[in-house]
Amino acid sequence: MGSYTCCLFFTRRFRSSETQPPADVRAAFATYAEGAAHMTADQLRSFMSEAQGGDGAEANAELVMEQALLLRQRQPLLGKLAKPAFTVDDFYSYLFSEELNPPLASQVYQDMTAPLSHYYIYTGHNSYLTGNQLSSDCSDVPIIKALQDGVRVIELDMWPNATKDDIDILHGRTLTSPVELIKCLRSIKEHAFSASPYPVIITLEDHLTPDLQAKVAEMVVETFGDMLYYPDSESLKEFPSPEALKERIIISTKPPKEYLEAKNVKENDDGTQEEKESDEEAWGKEVPDLQTELEYAKNDYEDVDNGDDSDDDDDDQKKPQSSPLEYKSLITIQAGKPKSDMSEALRVDPNKVKRLSLSEKELVKAAPSHGSDLVRFTQKNLLRIYPKGTRVNSSNYNPFIGWIHGAQMVAFNMQGYGRSLWLMHGFYKGNGGCGYVKKPDFLLEHGPNNDVFDPKADLPIKKTLKVKVYMGDGWHADFKQTHFDSYSPPDFYTRVGIAGVPADTTIKKTKAVEDNWTPVWDEEFIFPLTVPELALLRIEVHEHDKSGKDDFAGQICLPVSELRQGFRAVPLFDRKGMKFKSVRVLLRFEFV
């Protein structure tokens, strides 16, 4: 007889379970449907008004019902639109639809008639760079993308071209390839108001001779025409409001005289550590702790950073030539840097407003001893913070160091990625995503003795946020079956936390749900907040990998002060800030 080898193959099969409404959703339906199998439009309206915060959406209850039925491919009963057959599954479809039940309102709701200094302004840094700060291409493409994303401040570094007869935009003294100024200006004009009608501010880093400054003035006037806003007088006593400047372009730079008087300051930062930082580390690196940075600054005064807005001048600029009046007259927001004493730089001039620029490290060093001075300065003037010069990989910093001191222009590398940029994206989802967010009242108020908010003060808990994380869905539609695990469905867990002032900052996480594309966590988290006006809710979903690094599965940051209470469908975004087509989580928000 012959011998035979017998092989057995086992296939592991997983059922894709149909998502069921969570128990709390069923309970809410039963309560407002008064025990019936169907809910009426009036009952849905009561639910939206009472359980969901009554934010105005209840007026469209009938339309919500109709669209929820369409989501499940069910048509309303003809002739009975006032009382459609709206089941618990339809109710659940409505709650889990980002279009019908988003976490934030989509309209501008804040007062837009205050001076510009009363608003945080969505600000880019080196807006023309496509990648790193040393060798990437310069282009108008990232400028267009930034404007389409709602960024309101675009930075351009102007240098003479190779033949000294035109203007290029590039990161000076690096290997970045240039793009023509005129191309950038034309792209700004075309896309400036595609995402928001509120003013676009162009901050110019000027490394030009007077004749080229005159050429810039000619280009700016010819390109923007009536869109360009500039004051009649040489200086402003108060900035105009975003409302008054709708669909206008504003120029901000140092007056030519400032350049003639400027001194060269060399960069002393050692960028070795951050130059070695890989993309993967930048993706997953946690936001720097604000308290740690402030403590570190006390012992770090020798490391002067001047990686941007530097007072670098060519020899031609130092010649006593008078710059053309046309160029100087176009500067609406006059800019400068502290030349020596920080107290003098932060002195408020009652007859004149200006913009001051500080690097992130300069701000961190100034904060412990000048915190209140910074707040007082920013009540009337503009403060721009920019990344330190060693961030050659276009990484970013903790933006709250600027926001808590009232800095309006916290400039970020929009072409970079990572958690710091996710915070920036989330912060400017506020106020309808228009790129201007009103500063909280406590940063604008004066006390009886002209005292202002002290960023170092210990504050009491003002509000408590409860977040219940029910479930997630959509990954099976947006990802390949083997994206997270080659042999089994993913094991998702959610990180939930607060980004804000040090006392409020925390991160927690749910359990990992094994082998499920539609995980149900059903966990609640409580966050006491001392400064809820600036707090951001952080949501991240990861896939637990027992054999290696956990996989990223989506993220979003949302301004706590604008969260709509109740059950909400929260969409998730990828690492680059692009929204997934289907991925979302179902949460419930409650304020105490």
Side-chain angles (χ1 to χ4, degrees), residues 81 219 248 310 360 363 365 376 411 424 457 583:
L81 290 179
M219 285 184 186
R248 304 298 292 271
S310 59
E360 57 174 291
L363 177 61
K365 293 170 185 176
R376 185 176 289 105
M424 182 66 68
V583 178

Side-chain angles (χ1 to χ4, degrees), residues 415-439:
Q415 76 279 21
Y417 307 116
R419 287 191 170 103
S420 293
L421 189 56
W422 298 348
L423 297 183
M424 182 66 68
H425 290 163
F427 189 83
Y428 286 102
K429 285 182 172 67
N431 199 26
C434 74
Y436 285 82
V437 173
K438 192 80 157 52
K439 289 161 63 173

Side-chain angles (χ1 to χ4, degrees), residues 292-313:
T292 301
E293 287 197 46
L294 291 171
E295 290 296 326
Y296 173 76
K298 294 178 181 178
N299 303 312
D300 191 36
Y301 284 96
E302 294 181 2
D303 190 7
V304 179
D305 183 274
N306 203 55
D308 188 83
D309 268 2
S310 59
D311 296 321
D312 292 333
D313 302 283

Side-chain angles (χ1 to χ4, degrees), residues 372 375-376 379 442 444-454:
S372 294
V375 171
R376 185 176 289 105
Q379 290 179 341
F442 67 79
L444 300 171
E445 295 169 343
H446 289 270
N449 300 316
N450 200 35
D451 52 322
V452 296
F453 173 73
D454 181 3

Side-chain angles (χ1 to χ4, degrees), residues 447-483:
N449 300 316
N450 200 35
D451 52 322
V452 296
F453 173 73
D454 181 3
K456 301 189 300 296
D458 292 327
L459 302 172
I461 293 171
K462 187 180 292 186
K463 186 180 290 187
T464 297
L465 171 66
K466 291 184 179 180
V467 180
K468 189 157 188 180
V469 183
Y470 289 105
M471 60 185 299
D473 198 5
W475 288 281
H476 64 283
D478 290 353
F479 291 86
K480 293 181 179 179
Q481 191 173 358
T482 56
H483 178 86

Side-chain angles (χ1 to χ4, degrees), residues 558-572:
L558 298 167
V560 167
S561 63
E562 299 194 24
L563 289 175
R564 304 166 74 200
Q565 76 172 52
F567 299 93
R568 298 294 169 184
V570 178
L572 296 186

Side-chain angles (χ1 to χ4, degrees), residues 186-204:
R186 287 170 178 165
S187 293
I188 291 172
K189 179 184 180 180
E190 183 178 352
H191 299 278
F193 306 109
S194 58
S196 168
Y198 292 101
V200 167
I201 301 170
I202 305 175
T203 59
L204 299 176

Side-chain angles (χ1 to χ4, degrees), residues 86-108:
F86 195 71
T87 68
V88 65
D89 291 323
D90 299 320
F91 181 68
Y92 168 59
S93 293
Y94 142 63
L95 290 179
F96 212 179
S97 166
E98 187 231 334
E99 290 77 17
L100 300 179
N101 190 36
L104 303 177
S106 59
Q107 297 81 26
V108 174

